[in-house]
Amino acid sequence: MALDKFKDECAVFAVFGHPEAANLAYLGLYSLQHRGQEASGIVSSDETKHHAEIGMGHVSEVFNESNILQLKGKMAIGHNRYSTHGRSQLKNAQPMAIEYARGPLALAHNGNLVNADVVRQRLEEEGSIFRSTMDSEVIIHLIAKSKKSRFQDQVTEALSQLEGAYSLALMGASEMIIARDPHGFRPLAMGTLGAGYVFASETCAFDLIGAKYIRDVAPGELVVVNNEGLFSYFPFEARKKNHCVFEYIYFARPDSNIFGKSVHNVRKKFGRKLAHEKPVEADMVIPVPDSGVVAALGYAEESGIPFETGIIRNHYVGRTFIEPTQSIRHFGVKIKHNAVKEAIKGNRVVVVDDSIVRGTTSRKIIKMIREAGAKEVHMRISSPPTTHSCFYGIDTPSRSELIGSTYSVEDIAEYLDADTLAYLSIEAMMDALEDRKEDFCKACFDGNYIVPPVYAESQLTLLEKRLAEDEEIDYDRAPATRKTATAK
Ligand code: AMP
């Protein structure tokens, strides 16, 4: 069985009851572009049939005036896909649109189903034929196989067999179902626009289209929207909330409100706490743009060290991780950032970034800052060392590639060639979440996976097998293979 890497961080958008549904979905996806740049798609419904436009690339590359015009109807769902190691294939783009016995069905999914492989294997043994390598496709098969007559009961039956993360938009001919897994791993917001309803991974999408935010879709909630109105159901047993803290650290846009808090405020607090916890004498604080900007502002404010834009980012290059191969990724880092020599020369610099994954970015940045004439380079990271892979939808490489899983902070500092390196502690990070700290998943920092590890492990085995088959990892460049460093 050919499996794709079950790790996608994506954007979901949905509109119900608006004459400009497809246009709104297009705009919504535009503002959610940061959540996925590999592929984009919109499926609309005119109550009898679905119309789809799905393609590889950015929103601006996939859609144009004429193809949006073809997307008729007052309801639409949209999706941006973010994938890294997995094959960049159109068959894995979403929304996934099919015809089944009860009519048209389309799905847009953000998150990662940790038992998708097990369910898929069972379904294949029973004769199901899969057309993609996405975990999301099992949802479609389970809905199609359900004997229930109401759409919402089919969806409930399907989702009750699945574990892991899903923020989901499903669309039939004239009805839409929006669902969020009982742990609430990924964000999902609900709003109104005129007489219609809108749903989006992040609230920044509402700002662009002038929609009014009402509330988040609650963990475990199924929202049914049809011509009779909007109905909310909680068909699953309540579970401990487990929102992804990495959304605040890196993924979500600072102008969004997710999990009940402003991303900007939380991110800035991470920076403030970092300054308090890991101070250093220096002349300036410079962020690694864009991901380190808000935390660096917090660091500068708390420490009293002036903030300086010492690195400029070329915005026309995709995010580091988007490139499908290691060699392109390294090239990407080089063309993405440039130092402002006049600002840096002769100064002691604190460089703030949100996270270190493999260490590639930080190493290049520090080299660049030294070449620009910095006297000292102190690296500060506004999250704890990433030591474990995420199974719930954030793309992280396998554990062995995470520099923080194998090496001590001192060894990483040496590898990066930083005068000092310090991370935010797990405790300080959780403190920044105040009264909500119990509601968050931090498995990428402590390996505490709330969804039974049996799923995660089987998933990992399959992932590693597939990675070994499909990919050539450039081990020469991965610091984890340095023979001289001491393992933690
Ligand atoms: P690395 O060069 O492998 O250490 O990656 C670190 C850089 O990647 C940091 O600048 C982060 O902002 C960024 N980053 C962290 N997590 C992710 C992710 N899941 N996807 C894409 N980029 C990320």
PDB file of all heavy atoms in Angstrom, residues 114-115 117-118 163 391-392 449-461:
ATOM      1  N   VAL A 114      -4.854  10.007  13.291  1.00  0.00           N
ATOM      2  CA  VAL A 114      -3.741   9.128  13.647  1.00  0.00           C
ATOM      3  C   VAL A 114      -4.036   7.642  13.432  1.00  0.00           C
ATOM      4  O   VAL A 114      -3.112   6.839  13.411  1.00  0.00           O
ATOM      5  CB  VAL A 114      -3.227   9.372  15.092  1.00  0.00           C
ATOM      6  CG1 VAL A 114      -2.682  10.767  15.240  1.00  0.00           C
ATOM      7  CG2 VAL A 114      -4.281   9.079  16.109  1.00  0.00           C
ATOM      8  N   ASN A 115      -5.302   7.273  13.278  1.00  0.00           N
ATOM      9  CA  ASN A 115      -5.570   5.861  12.995  1.00  0.00           C
ATOM     10  C   ASN A 115      -6.045   5.654  11.553  1.00  0.00           C
ATOM     11  O   ASN A 115      -6.634   4.626  11.222  1.00  0.00           O
ATOM     12  CB  ASN A 115      -6.581   5.274  13.983  1.00  0.00           C
ATOM     13  CG  ASN A 115      -7.951   5.914  13.860  1.00  0.00           C
ATOM     14  OD1 ASN A 115      -8.066   7.036  13.351  1.00  0.00           O
ATOM     15  ND2 ASN A 115      -8.982   5.216  14.304  1.00  0.00           N
ATOM     16  N   ASP A 117      -4.418   4.973   8.881  1.00  0.00           N
ATOM     17  CA  ASP A 117      -3.805   3.828   8.200  1.00  0.00           C
ATOM     18  C   ASP A 117      -4.497   2.521   8.568  1.00  0.00           C
ATOM     19  O   ASP A 117      -4.728   1.661   7.728  1.00  0.00           O
ATOM     20  CB  ASP A 117      -2.304   3.765   8.510  1.00  0.00           C
ATOM     21  CG  ASP A 117      -2.022   3.758   9.995  1.00  0.00           C
ATOM     22  OD1 ASP A 117      -2.851   4.276  10.759  1.00  0.00           O
ATOM     23  OD2 ASP A 117      -0.973   3.216  10.392  1.00  0.00           O
ATOM     24  N   VAL A 118      -4.831   2.398   9.861  1.00  0.00           N
ATOM     25  CA  VAL A 118      -5.487   1.174  10.341  1.00  0.00           C
ATOM     26  C   VAL A 118      -6.872   1.057   9.705  1.00  0.00           C
ATOM     27  O   VAL A 118      -7.261   0.002   9.191  1.00  0.00           O
ATOM     28  CB  VAL A 118      -5.618   1.214  11.888  1.00  0.00           C
ATOM     29  CG1 VAL A 118      -6.261  -0.053  12.414  1.00  0.00           C
ATOM     30  CG2 VAL A 118      -4.266   1.464  12.530  1.00  0.00           C
ATOM     31  N   GLU A 163      -9.618   8.706  15.100  1.00  0.00           N
ATOM     32  CA  GLU A 163      -8.879   9.324  16.204  1.00  0.00           C
ATOM     33  C   GLU A 163      -7.924  10.364  15.631  1.00  0.00           C
ATOM     34  O   GLU A 163      -7.370  10.162  14.560  1.00  0.00           O
ATOM     35  CB  GLU A 163      -8.035   8.272  16.931  1.00  0.00           C
ATOM     36  CG  GLU A 163      -8.813   7.311  17.787  1.00  0.00           C
ATOM     37  CD  GLU A 163      -9.348   7.946  19.060  1.00  0.00           C
ATOM     38  OE1 GLU A 163      -8.887   9.042  19.429  1.00  0.00           O
ATOM     39  OE2 GLU A 163     -10.243   7.346  19.668  1.00  0.00           O
ATOM     40  N   PHE A 391       1.882  14.318  15.559  1.00  0.00           N
ATOM     41  CA  PHE A 391       0.995  13.383  14.847  1.00  0.00           C
ATOM     42  C   PHE A 391      -0.378  13.988  14.621  1.00  0.00           C
ATOM     43  O   PHE A 391      -1.306  13.319  14.211  1.00  0.00           O
ATOM     44  CB  PHE A 391       0.877  12.072  15.632  1.00  0.00           C
ATOM     45  CG  PHE A 391       2.193  11.364  15.758  1.00  0.00           C
ATOM     46  CD1 PHE A 391       2.888  11.377  16.950  1.00  0.00           C
ATOM     47  CD2 PHE A 391       2.752  10.724  14.662  1.00  0.00           C
ATOM     48  CE1 PHE A 391       4.119  10.745  17.058  1.00  0.00           C
ATOM     49  CE2 PHE A 391       3.975  10.092  14.757  1.00  0.00           C
ATOM     50  CZ  PHE A 391       4.666  10.102  15.956  1.00  0.00           C
ATOM     51  N   TYR A 392      -0.505  15.259  14.961  1.00  0.00           N
ATOM     52  CA  TYR A 392      -1.833  15.866  14.919  1.00  0.00           C
ATOM     53  C   TYR A 392      -1.939  16.995  13.903  1.00  0.00           C
ATOM     54  O   TYR A 392      -2.819  17.831  13.995  1.00  0.00           O
ATOM     55  CB  TYR A 392      -2.218  16.378  16.315  1.00  0.00           C
ATOM     56  CG  TYR A 392      -1.998  15.362  17.418  1.00  0.00           C
ATOM     57  CD1 TYR A 392      -1.324  15.698  18.582  1.00  0.00           C
ATOM     58  CD2 TYR A 392      -2.453  14.051  17.282  1.00  0.00           C
ATOM     59  CE1 TYR A 392      -1.118  14.776  19.598  1.00  0.00           C
ATOM     60  CE2 TYR A 392      -2.238  13.121  18.282  1.00  0.00           C
ATOM     61  CZ  TYR A 392      -1.573  13.484  19.433  1.00  0.00           C
ATOM     62  OH  TYR A 392      -1.361  12.565  20.420  1.00  0.00           O
ATOM     63  N   TYR A 449       1.790  12.341  24.237  1.00  0.00           N
ATOM     64  CA  TYR A 449       0.734  12.278  23.215  1.00  0.00           C
ATOM     65  C   TYR A 449      -0.572  11.839  23.859  1.00  0.00           C
ATOM     66  O   TYR A 449      -0.666  10.733  24.385  1.00  0.00           O
ATOM     67  CB  TYR A 449       1.118  11.280  22.125  1.00  0.00           C
ATOM     68  CG  TYR A 449       2.366  11.652  21.345  1.00  0.00           C
ATOM     69  CD1 TYR A 449       3.556  10.956  21.540  1.00  0.00           C
ATOM     70  CD2 TYR A 449       2.345  12.691  20.426  1.00  0.00           C
ATOM     71  CE1 TYR A 449       4.698  11.294  20.828  1.00  0.00           C
ATOM     72  CE2 TYR A 449       3.490  13.037  19.714  1.00  0.00           C
ATOM     73  CZ  TYR A 449       4.656  12.331  19.920  1.00  0.00           C
ATOM     74  OH  TYR A 449       5.781  12.660  19.213  1.00  0.00           O
ATOM     75  N   ILE A 450      -1.568  12.687  23.783  1.00  0.00           N
ATOM     76  CA  ILE A 450      -2.838  12.373  24.454  1.00  0.00           C
ATOM     77  C   ILE A 450      -3.604  11.259  23.743  1.00  0.00           C
ATOM     78  O   ILE A 450      -4.262  10.448  24.363  1.00  0.00           O
ATOM     79  CB  ILE A 450      -3.712  13.648  24.620  1.00  0.00           C
ATOM     80  CG1 ILE A 450      -4.857  13.369  25.588  1.00  0.00           C
ATOM     81  CG2 ILE A 450      -4.236  14.160  23.294  1.00  0.00           C
ATOM     82  CD1 ILE A 450      -5.518  14.637  26.108  1.00  0.00           C
ATOM     83  N   VAL A 451      -3.506  11.218  22.420  1.00  0.00           N
ATOM     84  CA  VAL A 451      -4.174  10.141  21.689  1.00  0.00           C
ATOM     85  C   VAL A 451      -3.283   8.909  21.811  1.00  0.00           C
ATOM     86  O   VAL A 451      -2.069   9.009  21.642  1.00  0.00           O
ATOM     87  CB  VAL A 451      -4.408  10.542  20.215  1.00  0.00           C
ATOM     88  CG1 VAL A 451      -4.951   9.385  19.411  1.00  0.00           C
ATOM     89  CG2 VAL A 451      -5.350  11.729  20.154  1.00  0.00           C
ATOM     90  N   PRO A 452      -3.889   7.755  22.168  1.00  0.00           N
ATOM     91  CA  PRO A 452      -3.088   6.573  22.497  1.00  0.00           C
ATOM     92  C   PRO A 452      -1.910   6.341  21.557  1.00  0.00           C
ATOM     93  O   PRO A 452      -2.073   6.340  20.342  1.00  0.00           O
ATOM     94  CB  PRO A 452      -4.113   5.443  22.374  1.00  0.00           C
ATOM     95  CG  PRO A 452      -5.409   6.101  22.678  1.00  0.00           C
ATOM     96  CD  PRO A 452      -5.304   7.509  22.189  1.00  0.00           C
ATOM     97  N   PRO A 453      -0.728   6.170  22.136  1.00  0.00           N
ATOM     98  CA  PRO A 453       0.488   6.050  21.334  1.00  0.00           C
ATOM     99  C   PRO A 453       0.466   4.875  20.360  1.00  0.00           C
ATOM    100  O   PRO A 453       1.191   4.905  19.383  1.00  0.00           O
ATOM    101  CB  PRO A 453       1.597   5.875  22.374  1.00  0.00           C
ATOM    102  CG  PRO A 453       0.931   5.691  23.666  1.00  0.00           C
ATOM    103  CD  PRO A 453      -0.463   6.159  23.573  1.00  0.00           C
ATOM    104  N   VAL A 454      -0.386   3.907  20.612  1.00  0.00           N
ATOM    105  CA  VAL A 454      -0.428   2.774  19.685  1.00  0.00           C
ATOM    106  C   VAL A 454      -0.722   3.267  18.271  1.00  0.00           C
ATOM    107  O   VAL A 454      -0.140   2.828  17.292  1.00  0.00           O
ATOM    108  CB  VAL A 454      -1.430   1.695  20.142  1.00  0.00           C
ATOM    109  CG1 VAL A 454      -2.838   2.253  20.290  1.00  0.00           C
ATOM    110  CG2 VAL A 454      -1.463   0.528  19.165  1.00  0.00           C
ATOM    111  N   TYR A 455      -1.591   4.263  18.175  1.00  0.00           N
ATOM    112  CA  TYR A 455      -1.908   4.819  16.862  1.00  0.00           C
ATOM    113  C   TYR A 455      -0.688   5.543  16.307  1.00  0.00           C
ATOM    114  O   TYR A 455      -0.290   5.357  15.182  1.00  0.00           O
ATOM    115  CB  TYR A 455      -3.052   5.825  16.964  1.00  0.00           C
ATOM    116  CG  TYR A 455      -4.356   5.218  17.351  1.00  0.00           C
ATOM    117  CD1 TYR A 455      -5.072   5.695  18.439  1.00  0.00           C
ATOM    118  CD2 TYR A 455      -4.895   4.162  16.620  1.00  0.00           C
ATOM    119  CE1 TYR A 455      -6.284   5.145  18.793  1.00  0.00           C
ATOM    120  CE2 TYR A 455      -6.104   3.606  16.976  1.00  0.00           C
ATOM    121  CZ  TYR A 455      -6.801   4.102  18.060  1.00  0.00           C
ATOM    122  OH  TYR A 455      -7.984   3.565  18.406  1.00  0.00           O
ATOM    123  N   ALA A 456      -0.130   6.397  17.182  1.00  0.00           N
ATOM    124  CA  ALA A 456       1.008   7.188  16.751  1.00  0.00           C
ATOM    125  C   ALA A 456       2.150   6.290  16.310  1.00  0.00           C
ATOM    126  O   ALA A 456       2.795   6.537  15.303  1.00  0.00           O
ATOM    127  CB  ALA A 456       1.449   8.092  17.888  1.00  0.00           C
ATOM    128  N   GLU A 457       2.384   5.211  17.076  1.00  0.00           N
ATOM    129  CA  GLU A 457       3.494   4.341  16.736  1.00  0.00           C
ATOM    130  C   GLU A 457       3.282   3.635  15.417  1.00  0.00           C
ATOM    131  O   GLU A 457       4.180   3.524  14.588  1.00  0.00           O
ATOM    132  CB  GLU A 457       3.729   3.326  17.849  1.00  0.00           C
ATOM    133  CG  GLU A 457       4.647   3.907  18.920  1.00  0.00           C
ATOM    134  CD  GLU A 457       4.561   3.148  20.223  1.00  0.00           C
ATOM    135  OE1 GLU A 457       4.174   1.965  20.196  1.00  0.00           O
ATOM    136  OE2 GLU A 457       4.863   3.752  21.265  1.00  0.00           O
ATOM    137  N   SER A 458       2.061   3.138  15.206  1.00  0.00           N
ATOM    138  CA  SER A 458       1.819   2.435  13.945  1.00  0.00           C
ATOM    139  C   SER A 458       1.940   3.414  12.789  1.00  0.00           C
ATOM    140  O   SER A 458       2.463   3.110  11.728  1.00  0.00           O
ATOM    141  CB  SER A 458       0.444   1.762  13.941  1.00  0.00           C
ATOM    142  OG  SER A 458      -0.554   2.732  13.867  1.00  0.00           O
ATOM    143  N   GLN A 459       1.489   4.632  13.047  1.00  0.00           N
ATOM    144  CA  GLN A 459       1.594   5.668  12.035  1.00  0.00           C
ATOM    145  C   GLN A 459       3.062   5.949  11.725  1.00  0.00           C
ATOM    146  O   GLN A 459       3.470   6.033  10.585  1.00  0.00           O
ATOM    147  CB  GLN A 459       0.943   6.943  12.580  1.00  0.00           C
ATOM    148  CG  GLN A 459       0.751   8.004  11.570  1.00  0.00           C
ATOM    149  CD  GLN A 459      -0.564   7.827  10.840  1.00  0.00           C
ATOM    150  OE1 GLN A 459      -1.221   6.817  10.980  1.00  0.00           O
ATOM    151  NE2 GLN A 459      -0.936   8.794  10.056  1.00  0.00           N
ATOM    152  N   LEU A 460       3.858   6.042  12.790  1.00  0.00           N
ATOM    153  CA  LEU A 460       5.269   6.350  12.637  1.00  0.00           C
ATOM    154  C   LEU A 460       5.973   5.254  11.841  1.00  0.00           C
ATOM    155  O   LEU A 460       6.760   5.524  10.940  1.00  0.00           O
ATOM    156  CB  LEU A 460       5.912   6.496  14.017  1.00  0.00           C
ATOM    157  CG  LEU A 460       7.382   6.887  14.007  1.00  0.00           C
ATOM    158  CD1 LEU A 460       7.554   8.256  13.387  1.00  0.00           C
ATOM    159  CD2 LEU A 460       7.945   6.892  15.414  1.00  0.00           C
ATOM    160  N   THR A 461       5.659   4.005  12.160  1.00  0.00           N
ATOM    161  CA  THR A 461       6.293   2.900  11.453  1.00  0.00           C
ATOM    162  C   THR A 461       6.015   3.016   9.966  1.00  0.00           C
ATOM    163  O   THR A 461       6.911   2.888   9.136  1.00  0.00           O
ATOM    164  CB  THR A 461       5.724   1.558  11.983  1.00  0.00           C
ATOM    165  OG1 THR A 461       5.715   1.637  13.390  1.00  0.00           O
ATOM    166  CG2 THR A 461       6.569   0.391  11.552  1.00  0.00           C
TER     167      THR A 461
END
